[in-house]
Amino acid sequence: MSLQWLILISSILYLALLFGIAYLGERQTRRGRSLVSNPYIYSLSLAVFCTAWTYYGSVGQAAQQGVTFLTTYLGPTLMAPLWWVVLRKIIRICKVQRITTLADFISVRYGNDIRLGILVTVICILGVLPYISIQLKAIAASIDILLDSPSQRGTLIGLTSNPALFITIALAGFAILFGTRRVDVTERHEGMVTAIAFESLFKLVAFIAVGAYVTFGVYDGFGDIFHQASQLPSLRTLFTLDEGQYADWFWLTLVAMLAIFLLPRQFQVAVKENVDEKHLLRATWLFPLYLILINLFVLPIALGGNLLFQDQGIDADTYVLAIPQYYGANAMIIFTFLGGLSAATSMIIVSTIALSTMVNNNLLVPIWLSGKAVHELKRRSINRALLNSRRLTIVGILLLAYLYFKSIGDQFSLVSIGIISFVAVAQLAPPLLGGIFWKEGTRQGAYTGLLVGFGIWLYTLVLPTIVQAQLLSPNLLNQGLFGFSALRPESLFGLTSFSPLSQAIFWSLLLNTGCYLVVSLFTQATASERKQAELFVDIFRYSPQSTASVGGKQVVHLARIQELLTKFLGKSRTEASLKSFYHESQTSYPTEGDYRLVSFAERLLAGVIGSASAHVMVMSVVRKDELMLEDLFQVLNESQQLVYANQELKQKSQELEKIGHQLKRANQELQKIDHLKDEFISTVTHEMRTPITSIRAFCEILQDSPELSDEEKDQFLSTIIRETDRMERLINQVLDLEKFESGKQQLDLSKTDINSIIQDAIKSVSQVLKEKSIALKTDLSPNLPLVQADDDRLMQVVLNLISNAIKFCDSDNGQVRISSYLVDNMVKVNVIDNGKGVPATSQEMIFEGFFQAHNQTTKKPVGSGLGLTISRKIIEHHQGKLWVESEPGQWAKFSFTLPTPPVNKKLSH
């Protein structure tokens, strides 16, 4: 049987097995023997986090970037110990308020604001659709690589020409069958969760199997792979972490920490499908263990693939399949392929169900219920309409993901698209985490923060992918929006020290959080928001009374409530639910109810149309009196009044603590200054001791050796004079530095042509350039405006920079470039050499006095170590700026700017 047939049959059998497992899970639930009431099943279902990105993309990322792939899993591992504090609180809130989605959670927290739910839904849809698309890409790519040779393409060519489409259709059927069987979305999908747990276990075993095959079958263990890779410089770099990657590690780890509970699929399995909060205790160590095991062979497979397929153009994302295919191990190929299929399908199924619920509850239902539609509902059950809507939404989501994969996603790696999705859902962190720990957060703050963060995400991460797909002009990336370089998407606001990805994460989360905090502090929360803030933040205090409403006083007509519930739940279920409610509350059937019935109806309806829409519907049939703040406090807890009574005392305590911190910082600053003074004196005496010692030694030689020849005496005297000059220069520089530091230095300002200064400086060093065979290139812009400057001091700066460039440029092929031009009404001068450059960690320290003396780990160049310090002081006293940029090992560029408008005659600091 051909490999093509094996792939087709195994795929069909595997999908059939998933249907069977899901059906078994549902049947066991109906029999009262739930399979998901098990902490191991719960922990395994959380591994839906490990998608095709983990199975294929991590290997591809490791093959190109080395250990950086670990950030995606380091974040969740660090977050797991905090689940008992964060995730448990979210689970409790959702159970009490019958919340089923992220959009509902944020919407309910901020006063059941429907607009906020719509915004969160849009963010999740746009953020997760590309993520779903890369799962389809992974499936299609894995089939393509297995059928790459003509011998594998037989009579099934028509069926396998578009495998992603057939998989999409099959998964849509699965999600519809096991995700939309009931109208109440608060009921758990136990069949689906059982299937997801099985897939998590299957993909783990499959990946470990192929990893062991590569490590111990193709190679002779870990040591063999790493030894062979270490012999190649291009692969040896994959073992280490460069200095420039530190920022990427931090931001990617942070985003992964947030994604583990903010991705819709993770919220679905971790929160909505949770049976028992105590299962978190097992998951806090079992889930990190799972991540460790599934990543154990990532680097060996990546290195093995690089060694095996050097310069063959094989996509690193496909190494997991390409290596066993290379050796013709058909059994391993099929097993590995099914593991990848498992990783992709589990993510697609859960994400699609979660998004369909979100779209219906927060987009479609609010549209249905808008305006007069609330009062014009027909007298019939709309259960079927809601179920059909969810099913159509599932199909629509998968179709959009498929179209994205075909139009854009196919051009990018699994990791690049996955990280973009992570950053998108990370924007939900400020309103969600702020909402459960900070009572002052308001819906205006949440709304503003989300809009700003989402906008920056679109501009800095999504827009570049559209440009790279050639759907927009590349000028947006190269020149920035409207031609402003500060608005370039990949270096927003001029932040070039971070990678494009890190700067996007930094700006989006910083401005999102900042807007959330600032706007919340300057806006007033409504009574509904204050109620929800109290319940969310102090959920463990109030959850025993979770059935009680805090909505105020209502007069409720039972018939109207019953009619509303019947339209959504059906007559039989409504009657059974109301009967159960009155039995538990020990209340007879009155014609008019109280607030408890309103709360019950709202929570019951929330499972069908979402919490925000349910609130609108119930309030539409309830005559609600004005909410009194005293009633709210009485229902919540009388002890809460003590909190507000002690608020002033707490504030004063915080102010005293703040003053204490300020005094401590001031004391530390004084100690630092005292230490610097001692260090400065020690360094100066050390620098002066050297020439004095040399002078004394040569003088003693002259005194004790009268037989020396005249030529030897002249040589010793020249050395004495040279050392004396060196000591004089050091003393003058120290005096100069003291004048600048104390503000006593006065500048003799006049209108100066900077190009003339540069040319005179070049003439002064021309002989040195010639002796050292250093090539000098100049690019001086003509007609530069004059600057107000002290000619001698400015010459001192330029000479120092050129001398340093000569000193540190390449010894064999030295090159120095000098340029001047006008930028932003400032005259700018650059002096560039092609030497070893300046490490990022030293680019500020080289401007500190006697930095060379402190840097004893390297050979000390000729000089006092004060030249750059004084040069920066001179430029700053001209109201300019002096700095360095460098690419270590290649070049260093020293730049300074001077203002063109006149400056004050007496400039001092």
Side-chain angles (χ1 to χ4, degrees):
M1 185 179 293
S2 68
L3 181 61
Q4 189 177 26
W5 277 100
L6 287 174
I7 292 172
L8 178 64
I9 293 174
S10 61
S11 299
I12 294 174
L13 290 176
Y14 179 78
L15 292 175
L17 177 62
L18 284 187
F19 276 83
I21 292 173
Y23 176 76
L24 176 64
E26 293 281 355
R27 193 170 76 169
Q28 290 295 99
T29 300
R30 289 193 297 270
R31 290 180 175 181
R33 292 179 290 183
S34 174
L35 295 177
V36 302
S37 298
N38 183 302
Y40 293 100
I41 296 293
Y42 177 72
S43 300
L44 284 172
S45 69
L46 295 177
V48 72
F49 178 80
C50 298
T51 64
W53 172 357
T54 300
Y55 202 85
Y56 296 114
S58 289
V59 173
Q61 186 180 14
Q64 298 172 3
Q65 302 175 24
V67 294
T68 305
F69 80 94
L70 290 173
T71 56
T72 305
Y73 313 99
L74 182 60
T77 302
L78 294 175
M79 190 68 193
L82 299 176
W83 280 351
W84 192 249
V85 177
V86 179
L87 196 55
R88 174 170 166 257
K89 193 170 191 178
I90 295 173
I91 291 172
R92 179 71 63 87
I93 292 170
C94 290
K95 286 184 177 180
V96 170
Q97 304 227 1
R98 294 177 69 85
I99 294 172
T100 57
T101 66
L102 277 165
D104 265 354
F105 190 95
I106 295 176
S107 173
V108 172
R109 162 58 180 86
Y110 298 97
N112 290 287
D113 187 79
I114 292 180
R115 288 189 316 153
L116 203 52
I118 292 174
L119 178 58
V120 174
T121 301
V122 171
I123 292 174
C124 289
I125 287 290
L126 295 181
V128 178
L129 267 180
Y131 202 174
I132 297 176
S133 76
I134 65 173
Q135 311 305 310
L136 300 176
K137 174 185 177 180
I139 295 171
S142 62
I143 294 177
D144 285 344
I145 191 173
L146 295 180
L147 305 180
D148 193 39
S149 61
S151 62
Q152 300 293 348
R153 297 185 179 275
T155 57
L156 297 179
I157 188 65
L159 295 176
T160 58
S161 60
N162 199 347
L165 180 60
F166 292 101
I167 293 294
T168 301
I169 294 172
L171 294 179
F174 185 96
I176 289 172
L177 183 59
F178 294 102
T180 61
R181 301 182 69 176
R182 303 177 184 86
V183 69
D184 189 351
V185 294
T186 60
E187 295 186 9
R188 290 185 293 273
H189 308 94
E190 299 201 4
M192 179 200 71
V193 173
T194 306
I196 297 304
F198 168 78
E199 289 198 295
S200 296
L201 187 60
F202 187 90
K203 67 192 175 191
L204 175 63
V205 174
F207 194 83
I208 291 177
V210 70
Y213 171 78
V214 173
T215 305
F216 301 104
V218 178
Y219 296 91
D220 292 330
F222 292 100
D224 182 33
I225 292 180
F226 284 98
H227 175 71
Q228 291 191 42
S230 66
Q231 303 305 308
L232 299 177
S234 60
L235 298 186
R236 191 161 53 244
T237 59
L238 301 180
F239 304 162
T240 59
L241 184 65
D242 295 334
E243 288 185 9
Q245 294 179 300
Y246 293 159
D248 285 347
W249 268 69
F250 173 80
W251 292 111
L252 291 175
T253 301
L254 176 63
V255 167
M257 289 179 68
L258 299 175
I260 191 59
F261 64 93
L262 290 177
L263 285 167
R265 69 176 187 276
Q266 297 302 133
F267 192 91
Q268 178 82 19
V269 295
V271 178
K272 182 185 173 300
E273 305 294 345
N274 177 270
V275 176
D276 188 344
E277 292 175 4
K278 293 181 180 179
H279 288 176
L280 282 173
L281 295 173
R282 190 70 55 85
T284 53
W285 65 266
L286 194 58
F287 180 67
L289 176 62
Y290 184 99
L291 295 182
I292 292 172
L293 292 176
I294 203 168
N295 284 284
L296 192 62
F297 290 99
V298 168
L299 200 54
I301 295 174
L303 295 176
N306 282 341
L307 290 169
L308 193 62
F309 303 118
Q310 292 183 57
D311 303 322
Q312 294 186 28
I314 302 295
D315 185 358
D317 283 349
T318 65
Y319 282 174
V320 174
L321 282 171
I323 296 176
Q325 184 192 33
Y326 181 82
Y327 289 97
N330 285 355
M332 181 58 66
I333 291 173
I334 297 299
F335 191 43
T336 305
F337 166 74
L338 292 179
L341 183 66
S342 176
T345 54
S346 60
M347 180 273 176
I348 295 174
I349 292 169
V350 182
S351 294
T352 304
I353 291 175
L355 289 178
S356 68
T357 303
M358 203 178 298
V359 168
N360 275 270
N361 287 358
N362 296 279
L363 288 180
L364 301 183
V365 171
I367 292 175
W368 292 352
L369 304 182
S370 62
K372 297 181 180 180
V374 174
H375 306 289
E376 295 177 357
L377 288 172
K378 296 181 180 180
R379 292 180 175 274
R380 63 182 179 86
S381 172
I382 60 173
N383 304 35
R384 183 59 53 186
L386 288 173
L387 285 175
N388 289 336
S389 174
R390 286 179 192 148
R391 291 163 181 167
L392 289 174
T393 303
I394 288 174
V395 175
I397 289 171
L398 287 174
L399 180 61
L400 287 174
Y402 175 78
L403 294 176
Y404 182 90
F405 152 60
K406 283 296 185 182
S407 60
I408 297 178
D410 199 28
Q411 305 178 43
F412 299 94
S413 69
L414 302 178
V415 172
S416 61
I417 295 295
I419 291 177
I420 291 175
S421 294
F422 272 27
V423 180
V425 298
Q427 305 309 314
L428 306 180
L432 187 144
L433 294 177
I436 64 176
F437 291 111
W438 189 46
K439 296 179 183 179
E440 305 304 317
T442 66
R443 64 180 178 85
Q444 291 98 326
Y447 199 78
T448 305
L450 283 175
L451 279 177
V452 172
F454 181 56
I456 293 176
W457 171 79
L458 281 173
Y459 186 70
T460 57
L461 290 180
V462 177
L463 184 64
T465 65
I466 298 175
V467 172
Q468 293 170 36
Q470 299 181 347
L471 299 179
L472 288 177
S473 170
N475 290 335
L476 282 171
L477 294 183
N478 301 329
Q479 301 175 11
L481 188 64
F482 308 123
F484 292 108
S485 60
L487 296 180
R488 285 183 296 180
E490 295 183 332
S491 58
L492 191 62
F493 306 136
L495 185 60
T496 57
S497 58
F498 285 177
S499 68
L501 178 61
S502 291
Q503 64 93 28
I505 299 172
F506 171 76
W507 285 123
S508 62
L509 289 180
L510 175 67
L511 296 180
N512 183 345
T513 305
C515 289
Y516 171 70
L517 294 175
V518 172
V519 175
S520 292
L521 290 174
F522 286 93
T523 53
Q524 186 69 34
T526 64
S528 177
E529 288 179 70
R530 291 196 299 271
K531 174 195 72 174
Q532 292 302 103
E534 188 73 31
L535 287 175
F536 272 55
V537 175
D538 295 326
I539 184 63
F540 294 114
R541 183 186 303 175
Y542 299 123
S543 56
Q545 289 79 37
S546 60
T547 56
S549 170
V550 291
K553 299 177 180 179
Q554 291 94 355
V555 178
V556 184
H557 292 282
L558 173 63
R560 297 172 67 182
I561 289 288
Q562 188 169 357
E563 180 183 4
L564 176 64
L565 294 178
T566 300
K567 291 175 181 178
F568 287 92
L569 304 178
K571 184 177 181 180
S572 59
R573 185 179 174 191
T574 298
E575 291 178 351
S577 298
L578 289 175
K579 183 177 181 180
S580 174
F581 165 73
Y582 284 113
H583 175 74
E584 292 178 3
S585 58
Q586 298 180 349
T587 307
S588 59
Y589 273 74
T591 56
E592 292 188 353
D594 57 17
Y595 65 86
R596 290 174 299 174
L597 178 59
V598 174
S599 176
F600 173 77
E602 188 172 324
R603 288 187 293 108
L604 198 60
L605 204 56
V608 180
I609 59 176
S611 298
S613 298
H615 181 73
V616 172
M617 289 298 300
V618 172
M619 289 304 102
S620 70
V621 297
V622 171
R623 180 169 59 84
K624 186 176 181 181
D625 293 340
E626 188 68 26
L627 177 67
M628 300 301 293
L629 191 59
E630 292 78 13
D631 294 337
L632 175 63
F633 278 54
Q634 182 179 0
V635 175
L636 291 176
N637 197 314
E638 293 181 0
S639 64
Q640 183 64 25
Q641 297 177 5
L642 298 176
V643 176
Y644 291 102
N646 292 323
Q647 201 169 32
E648 185 178 355
L649 180 61
K650 181 180 178 181
Q651 182 177 359
K652 290 181 179 179
S653 176
Q654 291 173 343
E655 290 175 356
L656 289 173
E657 186 177 356
K658 183 178 180 181
I659 292 172
H661 286 309
Q662 291 174 345
L663 290 173
K664 183 178 180 181
R665 285 197 299 269
N667 183 54
Q668 291 173 343
E669 191 66 25
L670 287 174
Q671 290 177 350
K672 180 180 178 181
I673 292 172
D674 185 63
H675 175 73
L676 289 175
K677 178 201 70 176
D678 295 340
E679 195 175 53
F680 181 80
I681 293 173
S682 174
T683 305
V684 170
T685 55
H686 171 79
E687 291 291 316
M688 293 185 67
R689 185 182 297 114
T690 302
I692 290 174
T693 302
S694 179
I695 291 170
R696 179 172 180 174
F698 284 114
C699 287
E700 289 177 350
I701 292 173
L702 289 172
Q703 184 180 22
D704 298 338
S705 306
E707 71 278 3
L708 292 175
S709 65
D710 291 341
E711 183 180 351
E712 289 175 325
K713 291 179 180 179
D714 289 341
Q715 183 179 354
F716 288 155
L717 288 172
S718 297
T719 303
I720 292 172
I721 293 171
R722 187 166 59 251
E723 291 298 317
T724 305
D725 291 340
R726 176 184 169 188
M727 190 163 60
E728 182 182 7
R729 285 195 303 272
L730 177 61
I731 293 171
N732 289 336
Q733 286 181 330
V734 172
L735 292 175
D736 273 354
L737 185 60
E738 191 278 331
K739 288 180 181 179
F740 280 114
E741 293 285 359
S742 63
K744 297 177 183 179
Q745 180 65 49
Q746 299 295 321
L747 300 178
D748 184 13
L749 300 178
S750 62
K751 292 184 178 180
T752 301
D753 180 6
I754 190 66
N755 285 344
S756 297
I757 299 290
I758 295 172
Q759 290 166 353
D760 291 343
I762 292 172
K763 291 177 183 177
S764 299
V765 299
S766 59
Q767 185 61 32
V768 180
L769 291 168
K770 184 177 180 181
E771 291 174 357
K772 294 190 175 184
S773 301
I774 295 175
L776 174 67
K777 296 181 181 180
T778 60
D779 182 15
L780 307 181
S781 297
N783 304 321
L784 283 178
L786 300 178
V787 296
Q788 287 284 86
D790 185 320
D791 290 4
D792 293 336
R793 288 298 187 182
L794 203 54
M795 173 66 77
Q796 181 181 348
V797 173
V798 176
L799 271 175
N800 181 266
L801 296 183
I802 297 176
S803 298
N804 282 345
I806 294 172
K807 187 190 309 179
F808 293 106
C809 69
D810 187 84
S811 57
D812 298 325
N813 186 25
Q815 293 181 8
V816 175
R817 288 179 290 163
I818 305 174
S819 61
S820 64
Y821 49 92
L822 187 67
V823 55
D824 296 333
N825 293 323
M826 303 283 282
V827 172
K828 184 175 182 180
V829 176
N830 298 322
V831 179
I832 308 172
D833 65 75
N834 66 336
K836 294 183 179 179
V838 182
T841 54
S842 301
Q843 288 180 9
E844 275 303 312
M845 292 193 293
I846 61 174
F847 292 100
E848 297 178 3
F850 298 104
F851 170 69
Q852 293 176 356
H854 300 309
N855 190 16
Q856 298 298 334
T857 58
T858 59
K859 182 180 179 181
K860 182 181 183 303
V862 178
S864 66
L866 289 174
L868 286 176
T869 307
I870 295 174
S871 295
R872 173 173 274 189
K873 293 294 182 182
I874 292 173
I875 294 300
E876 288 177 348
H877 274 64
H878 282 83
Q879 296 184 353
K881 181 182 176 184
L882 171 63
W883 71 96
V884 64
E885 300 173 47
S886 177
E887 181 66 35
Q890 298 183 28
W891 54 267
K893 179 173 71 174
F894 285 83
S895 306
F896 68 83
T897 55
L898 294 172
T900 53
V903 296
N904 296 329
K905 287 292 182 180
K906 293 184 179 180
L907 293 173
S908 63
H909 282 203

